[in-house]
C-alpha cells in the first residue's frame, strides 16, 4: 500500500476538497470546456526569468489555494520562479500607482476593471496573448473586451480574469408575505414592493454611503436603468440629463422606504443587515449567500434567499455590470515574455477551470467557453452570476473607458449625487449640475 | 659650530595635517556638524513639502506627468462647494474638538494631580485611548455608531426602552459631524490630560501654601496660581492639539470616508480622496497646501495669544 503522500499530493487533495466544499463540483471533474485548435504565440521566455506579481486578496480561501498551485505548476513547467503577493482590495490601486510612477516593483499586477486604462503608457501590449485565448476559448465576453482593450482600438492592454457582480438578493418568504414572488422589473412596481417591505418591518436597504462596490453599484443601476449615462459614445459628459433627473426623483421616492442609516453604509453594511434579518432585500455579490450557507446558524436564511438580476426599469436589459479582475504587465519588467507566458498559462483551461470552480461563482469567466464550467451547474442560486461578463454596461458607460471614468467612481461623484437628493440636501437639478461640474473636471484632459 | 635642524616625530606632531587644520577651522566645523541635520531635514521635510507645493501648481495625475498650470487648481477649489464644505467642517471639527479636549483634559489633569489610592495605575489607564492605534479606536466607534448594531441604540431601545428606534448617528450630516468630533475628543483627552498633569506638577506647592495662609479660596488659587502658571504649557499643548486635530485623517476616513453626502470631509480626507483615490495628484496637493494658511494662523494665534506674559502674570500686571 502506498502511504508516502507527497506535499504535492496533499495540496491536490486539499484543493479538491476545497473545491468540492465550495461548489459541490470536483476541481478535477471531467472538463466540458471546448477549446479550438489554435497555435499559441511564440513567447521566448527570457533566460533566468523570475516574476513578481500582485493581486487582490482572495474572497474564498480556495481562490488563493488554486491560484498558488497553478503558479507553482508554471514554475515546474518553465523554471520561472514566480512570487505572488495578495494585497487588500483598497490597497491595490495605490500600489499600482506607485509601481507605475516609479517604474519599479512587480512585473504583473492584477488590478480592477479600468486600471490598465489609467496606466496605459506603462504597460506591455498583450494583443498576441489575448487574440490566441479569444480564438481558442470561444471569444472574450463583452466586459472583458471593454476593460481589456484600449478605447476605440483592438490593442489589448489588460487580460481580464473574471468579474463579480451584485444582483438583488431577497428573502423569498418576506416577498411572498407582501404579495410578490420576485422583484418587479418596472420602477413603479419595485417602489410598491419596497413600500410594502417597509410596512412589513423588513425594509429594503441599498448603500448610499461612500462604498466602493455597493454604493457605486446602486448609483450605476439607478442611472442605467433610467437610460442615463455618465458619457456619450464620444466621451462627452452627459450626466446632467433629463434621464438622470428622473433617476434622482425616483431615488427620492424610494429612499424613505429603506432602513435608516443607508447614507452611512459601507461595503459590509448591507451584508450585516441582511444576515441579521434587519432587511429583506438588498444587492450583493455571491459572497453574502455563501457566508449564510456555510454558517449552520444562518443556513436557513440562505435557503430562504434568492438572487435576481437588477430590475431593468427602462433599460433594454438588466443594467448590471461587474467588477473585473484585470491583469497588466509593466514595461519595466525585465521578463515581459515570461510574464505574458504566465498569464497565458493561467488562462488555459487546465489551470483556469479549476480556479473558476474553486471560486464558487464569486468570479465569472472572461472567456465564453468557460461558461460550461462545473461551477455553474452546482447550486442553481449561483448560476445567475454566470453571465456577469456578458454585460454591455461598464464604468464610464456609454463612453470610452479612461483614467477619468475610474476617478469619478473613486470620488463617489454619482453616489453622492443620489445621496444628496435622497437625504434632501439638494434638489435633483442642483445635484446633477454639481455632479456634472465634478465630472467635467475629471474629463477635462481626456481629449488633449 | 653648525646647527642642523632635524625633523623629528615630535616636531611633525606639532604641525597638524591639512585635514586636522580644516576641522579646526570653526566655520567649516559648524557646517559639518549641521550638515547631517540639514540633510535629514532636506530629504524628509523640505523635499516632500516642496514637491507637494510644486504638484499643487501642476495638473499631474497618477500615471501621467503634469504641466505647470499656475493657480488653476486653487481657482477651481474656490468654486468647489466640496472644498468649502471641507474647510467649514475642518474649522468646526478643530474648534469644538480642541475646546472639548482642553476642557475635559484640564479637568482630568486637576483630578489626577490630587493624592488618591492607585494613582499611578489610574494615570496609566487614562493613557489607553491615546496608545490604542487610531484605526482600532475608529473601528470601535464605527461599531458604536452603526445604524443597526450600535451598542448605544441597543441600550436605549432594547434595555432601557427609552427609544423605539435606533439612533442614526452617521446617516445625516450634523449627527455624523458631532459623532466624529466626540470620537476625536475621546481620543485626544489623554494627550491633553497627561501633558497638563506634567505641567501641574511643576508648580511649587509653596505657592499654594502661601496663598492658603493668605486665606485664598480654591477658586482664587486656581485663578491666580494654577491658571497663569499653566499658560506656557497650555499654549504649547494647544498648538500641537490644533495641528493634530486639523490634520486628522484616520478617524474620519475609517468611520465615514467623508460621508454622508460628503458632509464630514476634512481637508486631509478630501485631499486623499482627490489626490490618491481619484488620481488628481495636482488637485489633491492643492487641497493639502490649502491647509497651510489655516495651520499657520491657528498656530500663531494659540502660541502668541496664549503665551502672552500678561496672562501668565495676572491681568493687572502689564
Amino acid at each position: 500500500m502506498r502511504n508516502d503522500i507527497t506535499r504535492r499530493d496533499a495540496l491536490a487533495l486539499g484543493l479538491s476538497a476545497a473545491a468540492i466544499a465550495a461548489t459541490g463540483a470536483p476541481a478535477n471533474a471531467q472538463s466540458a470546456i471546448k477549446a479550438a485548435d489554435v497555435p499559441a504565440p511564440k513567447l521566448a521566455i527570457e533566460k533566468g526569468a523570475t516574476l513578481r506579481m500582485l493581486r487582490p486578496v482572495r474572497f474564498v480561501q480556495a481562490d488563493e489555494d488554486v491560484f498558488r498551485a497553478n503558479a507553482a505548476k508554471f514554475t515546474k513547467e518553465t523554471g520561472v520562479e514566480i512570487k505572488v503577493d495578495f494585497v487588500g482590495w483598497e490597497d491595490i490601486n495605490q500600489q499600482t500607482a506607485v509601481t507605475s510612477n516609479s517604474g519599479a516593483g512587480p512585473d504583473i499586477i492584477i488590478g480592477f476593471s479600468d486600471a490598465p486604462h489609467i496606466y496605459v503608457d506603462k504597460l506591455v501590449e498583450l494583443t498576441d496573448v489575448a487574440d490566441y485565448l479569444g480564438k481558442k476559448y470561444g471569444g472574450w465576453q463583452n466586459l472583458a473586451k471593454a476593460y481589456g482593450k484600449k478605447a476605440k482600438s483592438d490593442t489589448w492592454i489588460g487580460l481580464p480574469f473574471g468579474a463579480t457582480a451584485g444582483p438583488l438578493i431577497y428573502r423569498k418568504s418576506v416577498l411572498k408575505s407582501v404579495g410578490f414572488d420576485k422583484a418587479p422589473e418596472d420602477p413603479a412596481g419595485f417602489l410598491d414592493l419596497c413600500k410594502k417591505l417597509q410596512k412589513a418591518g423588513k425594509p429594503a436597504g441599498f448603500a448610499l454611503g461612500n462604498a466602493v462596490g455597493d454604493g457605486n453599484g446602486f448609483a450605476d443601476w439607478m442611472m442605467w436603468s433610467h437610460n442615463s449615462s455618465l458619457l456619450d459614445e464620444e466621451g462627452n459628459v452627459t450626466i446632467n440629463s433629463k434621464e438622470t433627473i428622473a433617476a434622482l426623483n425616483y431615488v427620492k421616492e424610494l429612499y424613505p422606504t429603506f432602513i435608516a442609516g443607508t447614507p452611512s453604509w459601507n461595503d459590509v453594511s448591507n451584508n450585516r443587515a441582511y444576515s441579521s434579518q434587519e432587511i429583506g432585500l438588498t444587492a450583493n455579490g455571491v459572497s453574502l449567500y455563501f457566508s449564510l450557507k456555510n454558517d449552520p446558524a444562518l443556513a436557513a436564511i440562505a435557503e430562504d434567499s434568492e438572487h435576481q438580476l437588477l430590475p431593468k426599469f427602462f433599460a433594454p436589459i438588466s443594467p448590471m455590470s461587474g467588477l473585473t479582475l484585470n491583469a497588466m504587465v509593466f514595461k519595466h519588467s525585465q521578463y515581459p515574455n515570461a510574464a505574458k507566458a504566465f498569464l497565458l498559462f493561467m488562462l488555459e483551461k487546465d489551470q483556469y477551470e479549476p480556479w473558476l470552480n474553486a471560486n464558487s461563482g464569486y468570479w465569472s469567466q472572461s472567456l465564453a467557453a468557460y461558461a460550461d464550467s462545473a461551477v455553474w451547474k452546482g447550486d442553481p442560486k449561483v448560476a445567475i452570476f454566470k453571465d456577469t461578463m456578458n454585460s454591455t454596461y461598464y464604468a464610464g458607460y456609454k463612453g470610452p473607458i479612461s483614467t477619468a471614468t475610474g476617478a469619478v467612481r473613486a470620488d463617489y461623484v454619482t453616489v453622492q449625487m443620489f445621496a444628496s437628493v435622497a437625504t434632501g440636501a439638494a434638489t435633483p437639478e442642483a445635484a446633477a449640475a454639481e455632479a456634472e461640474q465634478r465630472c467635467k473636471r475629471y474629463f477635462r484632459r481626456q481629449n488633449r | 659650530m653648525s646647527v642642523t635642524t632635524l625633523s623629528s616625530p615630535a616636531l611633525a606632531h606639532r604641525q597638524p595635517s591639512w585635514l586636522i587644520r580644516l576641522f579646526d577651522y570653526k566655520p567649516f566645523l559648524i557646517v559639518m556638524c549641521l550638515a547631517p541635520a540639514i540633510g535629514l531635514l532636506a530629504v524628509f521635510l523640505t523635499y516632500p513639502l516642496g514637491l507637494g507645493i510644486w504638484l499643487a501648481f501642476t495638473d499631474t495625475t497618477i500615471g501621467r506627468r503634469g504641466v505647470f498650470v499656475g493657480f488653476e487648481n486653487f481657482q477651481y477649489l474656490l468654486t468647489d462647494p466640496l472644498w468649502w464644505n471641507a474647510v467649514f467642517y475642518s474649522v468646526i471639527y478643530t474648534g469644538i474638538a480642541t475646546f472639548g479636549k482642553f476642557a475635559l483634559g484640564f479637568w482630568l489633569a486637576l483630578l489626577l494631580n490630587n493624592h488618591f489610592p492607585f494613582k499611578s495605575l489610574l494615570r496609566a489607564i487614562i493613557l489607553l485611548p491615546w496608545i490604542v492605534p487610531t484605526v482600532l479606536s475608529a473601528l470601535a466607534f464605527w461599531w458604536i455608531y452603526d445604524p443597526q448594531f450600535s451598542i448605544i441604540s441597543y441600550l436605549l431601545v432594547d434595555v432601557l426602552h427609552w427609544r423605539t428606534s435606533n439612533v442614526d448617528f452617521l446617516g445625516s450630516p450634523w449627527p455624523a459631524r458631532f459623532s466624529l468630533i466626540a470620537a476625536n475628543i475621546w481620543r485626544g483627552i489623554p494627550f491633553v490630560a497627561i501633558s497638563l498633569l506634567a505641567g501641574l506638577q511643576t508648580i511649587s506647592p509653596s505657592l499654594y501654601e502661601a496663598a492658603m495662609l493668605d486665606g485664598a479660596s480654591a477658586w482664587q488659587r486656581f485663578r491666580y496660581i494654577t491658571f497663569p502658571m499653566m499658560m506656557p504649557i497650555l499654549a504649547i499643548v494647544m498648538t500641537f492639539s490644533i495641528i493634530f486635530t486639523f490634520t486628522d485623517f484616520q478617524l474620519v476616513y475609517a468611520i465615514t470616508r467623508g460621508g454622508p453626502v460628503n458632509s464630514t470631509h476634512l481637508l486631509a480626507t478630501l485631499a486623499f480622496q482627490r489626490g490618491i483615490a481619484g488620481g488628481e495628484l495636482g488637485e489633491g496637493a492643492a487641497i493639502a497646501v490649502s491647509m497651510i494658511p489655516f495651520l499657520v494662523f491657528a498656530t500663531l494665534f494659540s502660541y502668541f495669544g496664549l503665551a502672552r506674559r500678561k496672562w501668565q502674570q495676572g491681568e493687572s500686571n502689564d
Side-chain angles (χ1 to χ4, degrees):
Chain A
M1 184 181 137
R2 180 176 178 262
N3 58 6
D4 54 337
I5 296 174
T6 62
R7 278 196 305 171
R8 194 183 310 280
D9 294 332
L11 181 61
L13 281 173
L15 293 182
S16 296
I20 291 166
T23 66
N28 54 357
Q30 189 66 37
S31 175
I33 308 302
K34 293 173 194 73
D37 189 13
V38 180
K42 288 187 173 56
L43 296 167
I45 293 178
E46 298 84 356
K47 216 172 179 178
T50 58
L51 296 171
R52 199 183 144 215
M53 176 189 206
L54 288 187
R55 57 149 288 183
V57 73
R58 82 283 191 281
F59 227 92
V60 289
Q61 183 60 44
D63 173 358
E64 182 173 340
D65 293 342
V66 179
F67 200 90
R68 285 196 188 282
N70 285 341
K73 199 169 151 194
F74 178 74
T75 301
K76 184 172 174 273
E77 288 185 15
T78 62
V80 177
E81 289 290 338
I82 176 155
K83 183 176 184 291
V84 183
D85 291 321
F86 289 72
V87 296
W89 287 31
E90 304 271 337
D91 298 331
I92 199 90
N93 285 342
Q94 280 83 303
Q95 298 209 22
T96 310
V98 171
T99 299
S100 168
N101 275 14
S102 63
D107 306 86
I108 307 167
I109 294 181
I110 295 185
F112 287 116
S113 302
D114 47 14
H117 301 263
I118 299 172
Y119 310 106
V120 59
D121 298 339
K122 311 287 172 71
L123 301 179
V124 172
E125 194 185 305
L126 301 168
T127 309
D128 50 351
V129 176
D131 283 349
Y132 159 73
L133 289 166
K135 282 176 190 159
K136 186 168 181 180
Y137 295 108
W140 292 93
Q141 307 264 56
N142 287 331
L143 268 188
K145 283 187 273 194
Y147 287 128
K149 286 181 181 181
K150 199 171 168 179
K152 298 178 181 172
S153 82
D154 279 325
T155 304
W156 288 78
I157 49 175
L159 280 185
F161 267 58
T164 185
L168 292 183
I169 179 169
Y170 57 81
R171 295 288 299 271
K172 285 186 286 185
S173 61
V174 175
L175 256 66
K176 211 162 224 43
S177 71
V178 295
F180 290 84
D181 286 328
K182 54 182 276 196
E185 290 289 333
D186 63 304
F190 188 77
L191 179 62
D192 183 42
L193 165 66
C194 291
K195 281 179 178 170
K196 286 176 175 161
L197 287 174
Q198 192 203 20
K199 260 188 196 161
K202 294 285 180 195
F206 294 92
L208 277 163
N210 288 354
V212 180
D214 294 330
N216 278 309
F218 177 70
D220 286 343
W221 169 33
M222 283 298 126
M223 282 180 61
W224 297 337
S225 64
H226 285 81
N227 289 327
S228 152
S229 65
L230 186 67
L231 306 167
D232 64 14
E233 288 81 353
E234 301 307 311
N236 301 306
V237 175
T238 55
I239 194 169
N240 191 2
S241 63
K242 65 178 192 313
E243 290 83 4
T244 304
I245 303 287
L248 289 165
N249 277 316
Y250 182 68
V251 170
K252 196 175 179 180
E253 277 192 274
L254 191 64
Y255 171 71
T257 69
F258 291 176
I259 193 170
T262 52
S264 67
W265 273 14
N266 64 17
D267 276 325
V268 301
S269 302
N270 59 352
N271 301 43
R272 294 194 307 179
Y274 189 87
S275 303
S276 63
Q277 308 193 57
E278 298 271 329
I279 56 173
L281 169 72
T282 188
N284 210 289
V286 76
S287 55
L288 172 56
Y289 170 67
F290 273 105
S291 69
L292 297 168
K293 187 180 173 180
N294 295 330
D295 184 341
L298 302 173
I301 304 175
E303 182 59 38
D304 187 36
S305 294
E306 189 58 87
H307 290 112
Q308 182 187 327
L309 291 178
L310 297 176
K312 57 187 180 185
F313 296 171
F314 304 108
I317 58 165
S318 170
M320 189 176 74
S321 190
L323 180 69
T324 303
L325 286 180
N326 212 350
M328 302 165 269
V329 175
F330 284 85
K331 281 181 183 168
H332 64 247
S333 170
Q334 293 179 55
Y335 311 110
N337 280 351
K340 286 163 76 173
F342 174 70
L343 293 177
L344 188 153
F345 179 83
M346 296 293 269
L347 282 157
E348 292 277 18
K349 75 172 182 179
D350 288 349
Q351 290 67 244
Y352 190 83
E353 193 186 5
W355 177 75
L356 194 70
N357 287 339
N359 273 292
S360 318
Y362 195 78
W363 299 113
S364 66
Q365 69 283 341
S366 49
L367 287 152
Y370 291 120
D372 291 327
S373 296
V375 64
W376 306 124
K377 292 164 191 151
D379 188 336
K381 290 182 182 175
V382 173
I384 193 175
F385 292 88
K386 186 176 81 171
D387 294 322
T388 297
M389 294 201 76
N390 253 342
S391 176
T392 48
Y393 291 89
Y394 53 88
Y397 173 82
K398 307 173 185 171
I401 297 173
S402 64
T403 311
T405 55
V408 166
R409 286 173 77 80
D411 201 8
Y412 306 108
V413 174
T414 54
V415 180
Q416 293 305 328
M417 177 179 75
F418 282 106
S420 62
V421 173
T423 57
T427 62
E429 290 74 17
E434 192 179 324
E436 180 185 35
Q437 183 204 9
R438 191 69 210 135
C439 289
K440 282 187 170 168
R441 175 78 179 162
Y442 276 122
F443 283 94
R444 70 195 186 283
R445 280 191 293 256
Q446 293 307 305
N447 299 320
R448 276 188 200 170
Chain B
M1 183 180 155
S2 67
V3 177
T4 54
T5 307
L6 294 173
S7 61
S8 69
L11 194 61
H13 188 70
R14 283 197 297 272
Q15 290 181 333
S17 71
W18 66 269
L19 195 61
I20 292 171
R21 288 202 304 277
L22 186 64
F23 273 93
D24 278 346
Y25 181 55
K26 200 173 173 185
F28 179 78
L29 194 63
I30 290 170
V31 169
M32 286 307 291
C33 289
L34 284 177
I38 291 171
L40 284 172
L41 283 174
V43 172
F44 294 112
L45 191 68
T46 313
Y47 173 71
L49 184 65
L51 181 64
I53 292 172
W54 164 249
L55 283 174
F57 291 96
T58 70
D59 63 357
T60 308
T61 57
I62 285 177
R64 182 173 173 172
R65 282 187 189 281
V67 294
F68 182 77
V69 293
F71 286 95
E72 196 263 351
N73 285 323
F74 296 98
Q75 284 170 338
Y76 173 76
L77 289 179
L78 291 175
T79 66
D80 180 8
L82 249 176
W83 181 79
W84 281 109
N85 180 69
V87 170
F88 169 73
Y89 184 53
S90 296
V91 172
I92 296 277
Y93 184 81
T94 307
I96 299 177
T98 304
F99 177 79
K101 278 185 274 194
F102 270 78
L104 294 170
F106 202 178
W107 174 63
L108 198 59
L110 289 168
L111 287 179
L112 290 173
N113 199 36
N114 294 322
H115 294 288
F116 52 85
F118 308 113
K119 193 166 64 176
S120 303
L121 181 68
L122 271 171
R123 284 177 184 173
I125 290 171
I126 295 298
L127 267 178
L128 274 178
W130 180 251
I131 56 176
V132 170
T134 312
V135 169
L136 211 60
S137 46
L139 288 175
F141 271 98
W142 181 39
W143 173 66
I144 290 169
Y145 294 148
D146 189 283
Q148 274 81 48
F149 307 101
S150 163
I151 181 71
I152 298 173
S153 292
Y154 171 73
L155 284 173
L156 296 178
V157 177
D158 297 325
V159 179
L160 301 170
H161 305 292
W162 288 357
R163 283 178 62 94
T164 52
S165 60
N166 287 356
V167 184
D168 189 9
F169 289 101
L170 303 176
S172 44
W174 278 107
R177 285 169 176 154
F178 282 114
S179 298
L180 290 174
I181 288 170
N184 185 281
I185 289 173
W186 176 84
R187 189 169 162 70
I189 284 174
F191 170 70
V192 175
I194 296 296
S195 304
L196 297 187
L197 178 63
L200 284 173
Q201 297 195 331
T202 63
I203 301 174
S204 170
S206 61
L207 292 173
Y208 293 108
E209 286 162 13
M212 284 172 84
L213 285 175
D214 288 344
S217 65
W219 168 248
Q220 284 172 324
R221 291 199 297 276
F222 174 79
R223 171 72 184 81
Y224 294 106
I225 300 173
T226 309
F227 197 65
M229 296 294 284
M230 288 294 288
M231 266 305 177
I233 194 157
L234 271 170
I236 296 293
V237 175
M238 186 168 279
T239 306
F240 276 103
S241 179
I242 287 174
I243 292 170
F244 291 153
T245 312
F246 197 84
T247 57
D248 192 12
F249 174 85
Q250 296 179 73
L251 267 181
V252 173
Y253 203 74
I255 297 175
T256 66
R257 285 179 187 267
V261 203
N262 286 324
S263 59
T264 59
H265 262 307
L266 296 173
L267 284 166
T269 56
L270 188 65
F272 176 83
Q273 184 162 304
R274 292 275 171 86
I276 305 299
E280 288 275 349
L281 277 178
E283 194 176 308
I287 296 169
V289 167
S290 73
M291 293 163 76
I292 294 175
F294 293 100
L295 286 172
V296 170
F297 174 77
T299 305
L300 292 178
F301 174 78
S302 65
Y303 188 76
F304 287 108
L306 295 174
R308 280 166 60 190
R309 302 281 315 162
K310 180 177 165 180
W311 287 20
Q312 293 167 35
Q313 292 168 356
E315 274 180 22
S316 58
N317 189 345
D318 288 318

